[in-house]
Amino acid sequence: MTRSLLQHILTFLSLSAFVCAGEKMNLISIVTDDQAAWSLGCYGNKDSITPNMDRLAKEGARFANAFTVTPVCSPSRVTFMTGRWGTQMSVTDYLAPNEERAGIGLGLGSVTWPGVLQRSGWTTALIGKWHLGQMPHNHPTKMGFDHFFGFLGGGNTPMNPSYDFPDGKKKLEGYGADLLTDDAIKWIGEQKDKPFSLCLHFREPHLPYTPVPTQDSELFKNLDPSVPQLKGLDIPQVKGWTRDYYAAIYSVDRNLGRLFALLEREGLWEKTIISFTSDHGYNIGHHMIHTKGNGMWVAGGVTGPKRPNMWDTSMRIPWMIRWPGVVKPGTVIEQPVQNLDTFASMLGMLDVSMPAGAQTDGRNFAPLLRGEAASWRDTIYAQYDLHNAGLSYMRMIRTDRWKFVKHYHENLMDELYDLKSDPGETNNLINMRKGAGEDLRAVVKGLRERLVTWQKSIDDPVLSEPRLMQYEVVEDKE
């Protein structure tokens, strides 16, 4: 018998004894901010350095088609916590400071999956970014968390950040990702003898990308990164942003290494489910814009107006889950999932029942992780009502082949992409009659009907608003 086989058997027997004893698994949910799927090694990036993120994919499962529901922060995060759409929770764009002062955010009575775990015997913590309200009634400790360390708003400085404490804001010395991981390590050390659930929400790689510790930036200072080659892009500018973006990502990855070492040292590695994802995707020169669903044009090196969008680069998120003893190492799941599924899936993995009366629009993907045959969705939907420093009301339906984006209250802005022949979404077919052997007007009609059916199912308020400049396409007479 080889040493590796013996170790595998011993690990299996140890884990089996742990499960049979009826002990609860721990859960660590890691969320980064503004990190695109394309930025990780396990998703094919050759320039970024992400060994610990990649380790989760190697030892667990990687979702090849994971998407956010809204390509900006707060509505994505409210869905992540509740399994409900942003319009259902009255959070449809990132929360601006004046909105937070007005009390907008996750309200009292909201059912969150950390709250369900808290009531089911897990000790819970949120360490890092919240961005779901800053008033007392929005506080994480009112939403299912026993412990909070971090910041309530949306932004912060990478170095020497200001965090929120019961007696007010305090500026701390050090790098934010290091400080958050320090607190996570301390908290886990205090909880290690009882089941715990930790949400570790880094601000990285959100702008500003730098400064980062020298040990992180040094790795990329001489990198000539691959970037989009589009006419009009200031390539040196985009490469500079990309180097800084990768340095910020590596700072998170380095801290994940510290966290993983603690879990192994304390005997918790095989007793802890680890989920890693981001709140939405990102663009650095992709489609000629910078940032996310409210990205700015950057043609010619000049930051221009917003380009509200639902391109895949903004919608795709990384998502890897290591579930010891359950997920076969190296699993790749092709079925499309969304962060809408987080609520049901976190409870599903931990075998916790959905609370009576709780509502969730997501699905439990635990069977997919177990490798079980399960019927699954073949279509995803998304929404974004941009109202901060711009105005746009977008709804999206995406199948394996087609993506249709409906722009409400705007004329001549709708989008149709054939993802089979144009995965980069470079050619908007909305005004074409035929293409790729298809009657494109019939395609749009069918997608629009399915989109409206979904909107009605979630009581989408945009359907009841005055329809300014909404005209159906009329077939031209020959």
Side-chain angles (χ1 to χ4, degrees):
M1 181 180 297
T2 66
R3 180 185 295 271
S4 61
L5 179 58
L6 178 60
Q7 289 176 334
H8 178 78
I9 293 172
L10 290 175
T11 298
F12 176 79
L13 291 175
S14 174
L15 182 61
S16 298
F18 169 75
V19 173
C20 291
E23 295 185 65
K24 295 180 172 72
M25 291 287 284
N26 304 310
L27 173 64
I28 297 177
S29 172
I30 302 161
V31 179
T32 52
D33 196 351
D34 287 13
Q35 186 173 3
W38 56 259
S39 70
L40 286 81
C42 60
Y43 282 87
N45 192 301
K46 304 299 184 183
D47 296 327
S48 189
I49 302 175
T50 55
N52 292 295
M53 298 174 191
D54 298 343
R55 180 181 179 184
L56 296 176
K58 183 178 179 180
E59 298 183 11
R62 177 177 65 86
F63 289 97
N65 293 291
F67 297 87
T68 185
V69 293
T70 305
V72 294
C73 180
S74 298
S76 172
R77 290 169 186 265
V78 81
T79 294
F80 173 86
M81 285 290 173
T82 67
R84 305 284 282 164
W85 295 92
T87 52
Q88 295 170 326
M89 305 301 291
S90 300
V91 179
T92 59
D93 199 355
Y94 76 87
L95 293 181
N98 62 330
E99 293 176 313
E100 292 177 310
R101 289 192 295 271
I104 298 175
L106 197 55
L108 284 175
S110 300
V111 181
T112 68
W113 60 265
V116 176
L117 296 185
Q118 183 187 54
R119 294 189 293 273
S120 302
W122 277 262
T123 303
T124 59
L126 171 66
I127 296 175
K129 178 174 175 174
W130 177 237
H131 208 183
L132 292 176
Q134 295 199 41
M135 301 303 287
H137 67 274
N138 308 125
H139 198 273
T141 55
K142 299 289 182 64
M143 299 297 161
F145 294 102
D146 297 304
H147 171 74
F148 169 68
F149 176 83
F151 57 104
L152 298 172
N156 219 315
T157 56
M159 201 70 71
N160 303 327
S162 294
Y163 289 166
D164 293 281
F165 294 87
D167 57 346
K169 287 186 178 293
K170 296 180 182 179
K171 188 172 184 177
L172 304 183
E173 291 187 4
Y175 182 63
D178 295 344
L179 294 171
L180 297 181
T181 307
D182 289 345
D183 193 70
I185 287 173
K186 179 177 180 292
W187 184 82
I188 290 173
E190 296 168 347
Q191 314 302 323
K192 62 183 180 181
D193 295 326
K194 50 189 173 183
F196 63 82
S197 173
L198 166 65
C199 287
L200 180 55
H201 291 189
F202 293 97
R203 70 157 292 282
E204 285 72 28
H206 194 286
L207 280 169
Y209 308 134
T210 60
V212 301
T214 302
Q215 62 181 310
D216 302 331
S217 59
E218 282 289 314
L219 296 172
F220 302 96
K221 68 177 184 179
N222 296 319
L223 175 69
D224 183 20
S226 297
V227 299
Q229 298 295 314
L230 301 176
K231 185 178 180 180
L233 271 187
D234 183 332
I235 298 300
Q237 179 189 62
V238 172
K239 288 189 175 185
W241 285 337
T242 303
R243 281 190 291 269
D244 291 344
Y245 186 67
Y246 289 161
I249 289 171
Y250 179 75
S251 73
V252 173
D253 194 272
R254 173 176 56 78
N255 276 289
L256 293 188
R258 297 173 59 209
L259 181 68
F260 295 172
L262 168 77
L263 297 175
E264 291 176 308
R265 188 165 62 247
E266 296 292 345
L268 299 171
W269 186 243
E270 298 301 326
K271 301 177 183 179
T272 304
I273 298 170
I274 302 176
S275 169
F276 177 95
T277 189
S278 175
D279 53 355
H280 47 70
Y282 207 65
N283 303 267
I284 303 183
H286 306 82
H287 298 282
M288 300 292 288
I289 68 168
H290 190 199
T291 77
K292 45 217 170 191
N294 58 358
M296 302 284 196
W297 291 110
V298 290
V302 178
T303 299
K306 288 184 182 294
R307 181 15 174 132
N309 71 91
M310 286 185 158
W311 289 309
D312 270 10
T313 42
S314 297
M315 302 300 298
R316 281 189 180 273
I317 54 177
W319 205 341
M320 300 87 72
I321 293 180
R322 185 183 187 275
W323 186 358
V326 176
V327 174
K328 181 180 177 182
T331 294
V332 177
I333 295 174
E334 297 290 344
Q335 290 92 330
V337 298
Q338 292 185 275
N339 53 3
L340 183 73
D341 302 323
T342 306
F343 188 110
S345 301
M346 295 301 182
L347 300 189
M349 287 189 289
L350 294 173
D351 197 26
V352 174
S353 299
M354 190 72 66
Q359 294 180 302
T360 177
D361 291 276
R363 300 186 61 177
N364 174 18
F365 56 56
L368 301 181
L369 292 169
R370 295 190 188 99
E372 299 171 0
S375 61
W376 199 252
R377 65 168 70 93
D378 59 6
T379 304
I380 64 169
Y381 300 92
Q383 58 178 205
Y384 181 24
D385 291 352
L386 182 154
H387 59 261
N388 288 318
L391 198 63
S392 184
Y393 297 83
M394 296 181 291
R395 300 296 184 267
M396 183 193 87
I397 176 173
R398 187 191 192 281
T399 68
D400 183 55
R401 179 171 182 184
W402 299 104
K403 177 187 282 189
F404 172 63
V405 180
K406 179 68 178 174
H407 290 254
Y408 284 88
H409 307 316
E410 296 173 298
N411 196 28
L412 304 177
M413 287 289 290
D414 292 350
E415 299 167 73
L416 175 70
Y417 300 103
D418 182 347
L419 300 175
K420 181 179 179 181
S421 62
D422 179 27
E425 299 170 283
T426 61
N427 185 21
N428 183 7
L429 304 174
I430 197 67
N431 293 318
M432 293 183 64
R433 292 188 184 183
K434 294 185 181 297
E438 299 280 350
D439 180 345
L440 294 180
R441 296 199 175 188
V443 170
V444 170
K445 182 175 184 295
L447 292 170
R448 184 191 295 118
E449 290 173 351
R450 293 177 63 186
L451 182 65
V452 170
T453 297
W454 163 72
Q455 290 178 263
K456 290 179 178 178
S457 75
I458 65 166
D459 296 322
D460 191 337
V462 78
L463 291 179
S464 61
E465 295 171 355
R467 294 210 176 182
L468 305 177
M469 297 186 297
Q470 297 301 305
Y471 308 106
E472 296 297 325
V473 175
V474 178
E475 184 72 36
D476 293 335
K477 294 182 179 181
E478 298 293 345

